[in-house]
């Protein structure tokens, strides 16, 4: 029997990004989402594609904004640019430890960084519009997200599962049915 993360992974891989044999797939997440990251990684491999992991750690963003110079904040990461230019799919799994972690960061620093990464968004959106890049951003249930929703972790997990039809026998079929209806 499939667990909930395997079902979620199938939705992300088979429906949301339509991964196929030979695709180069970037899986970006935080370490806290390990069960879903592992399931997505396995589903990508089962499709005959090539997964590449980009895993972040808690508090690195705070360190970055605390110590990075304006020059560093303005730098466009060439490796990230390469990913956006060459990947066939991007699966981003949000799993924050603290949704307020950057609330005290200087907004000017954040604006400078945001401006420097705009070319990446442009590449992603242009390639997506041409059908060259499929992407999805999803949530993994965390205590931080549950607290934002004024729920327990268990309640938030149930909410997310219901919202994504992960309680269905085959959530991919359910999403295809919804797509047809729309």
């Amino acid at each position: 029997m499939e667990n909930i993360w395997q079902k979620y992974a199938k939705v992300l891989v088979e429906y949301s990004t339509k991964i196929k044999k030979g695709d180069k797939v970037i899986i970006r997440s935080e370490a806290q989402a390990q069960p879903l990251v592992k399931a997505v990684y396995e589903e990508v491999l089962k499709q005959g594609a090539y997964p590449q992991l980009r895993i972040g750690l808690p508090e690195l963003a705070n360190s970055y904004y605390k110590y990075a110079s304006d020059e560093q904040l303005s730098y466009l990461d060439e490796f990230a640019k390469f990913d956006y230019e060459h990947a066939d799919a991007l699966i981003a799994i949000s799993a924050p430890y603290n949704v307020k972690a950057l609330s005290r960061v200087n907004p000017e620093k954040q604006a400078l960084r945001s401006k420097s990464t705009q070319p990446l968004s442009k590449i992603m959106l242009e390639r997506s519009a041409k059908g060259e890049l499929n992407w999805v951003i999803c949530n993994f249930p965390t205590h931080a997200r549950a607290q934002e929703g004024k729920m327990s972790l268990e309640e938030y997990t149930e909410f997310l599962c219901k919202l994504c039809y992960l309680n269905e026998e085959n959530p991919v079929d359910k999403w295809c049915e919804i797509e047809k209806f729309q």
Side-chain angles (χ1 to χ4, degrees):
M1 184 174 150
E2 289 182 314
N3 73 31
I4 206 73
W5 308 127
Q6 290 167 321
K7 285 183 172 186
Y8 202 179
K10 283 185 180 223
V11 169
L12 298 171
V13 170
E14 294 178 16
Y15 178 77
S16 299
T17 56
K18 296 176 179 34
I19 303 299
K20 58 192 178 311
K21 183 179 172 112
D23 281 353
K24 296 175 289 297
V25 182
I26 304 297
I27 304 167
R28 190 173 61 215
S29 187
E30 290 96 348
Q32 192 168 207
Q34 182 180 340
L36 181 56
V37 170
K38 181 179 184 285
V40 168
Y41 187 87
E42 291 171 354
E43 286 302 318
V44 168
L45 287 170
K46 289 175 189 176
Q47 296 296 324
Y50 303 99
Q52 295 296 315
L53 296 178
R54 306 290 184 261
I55 303 296
L57 299 175
E59 299 303 317
L60 285 186
N62 265 329
S63 296
Y64 180 75
Y65 283 109
K66 183 175 182 180
Y67 297 110
S69 66
D70 284 355
E71 182 181 338
Q72 290 169 313
L73 290 166
S74 299
Y75 176 72
L76 179 61
D77 182 338
E78 295 169 26
F79 296 107
K81 185 174 185 237
F82 183 88
D83 283 351
Y84 280 74
E85 290 174 338
H86 295 90
D88 298 300
L90 169 66
I91 299 172
I93 304 166
S94 176
Y97 283 86
N98 178 356
V99 294
K100 307 282 189 204
L102 300 179
S103 62
R104 293 186 172 253
V105 171
N106 180 337
E108 290 175 10
K109 284 187 163 196
Q110 290 181 354
L112 182 58
R113 184 65 191 151
S114 179
K115 183 179 178 187
S116 72
T117 61
Q118 282 177 353
L120 298 178
S121 297
K122 184 178 180 200
I123 291 167
M124 185 179 85
L125 294 174
E126 286 176 357
R127 291 193 64 229
S128 179
K130 293 178 189 174
E132 298 172 355
L133 175 68
N134 292 325
W135 59 277
V136 64
I137 300 172
C138 69
N139 286 333
F140 180 82
T142 63
H143 286 287
R145 290 251 188 253
Q147 288 169 353
E148 283 288 288
K150 297 179 179 26
M151 297 180 222
S152 69
L153 180 59
E154 183 179 341
E155 289 169 331
Y156 183 76
T157 302
E158 288 175 20
F159 170 76
L160 184 66
C161 289
K162 201 180 257 185
L163 191 67
C164 296
Y165 301 104
L166 303 178
N167 51 352
E168 299 278 330
E169 182 68 31
N170 188 333
V172 173
D173 285 349
K174 179 67 175 175
W175 280 107
C176 289
E177 183 184 311
I178 292 167
E179 183 177 25
K180 276 184 183 178
F181 176 75
Q182 290 179 336

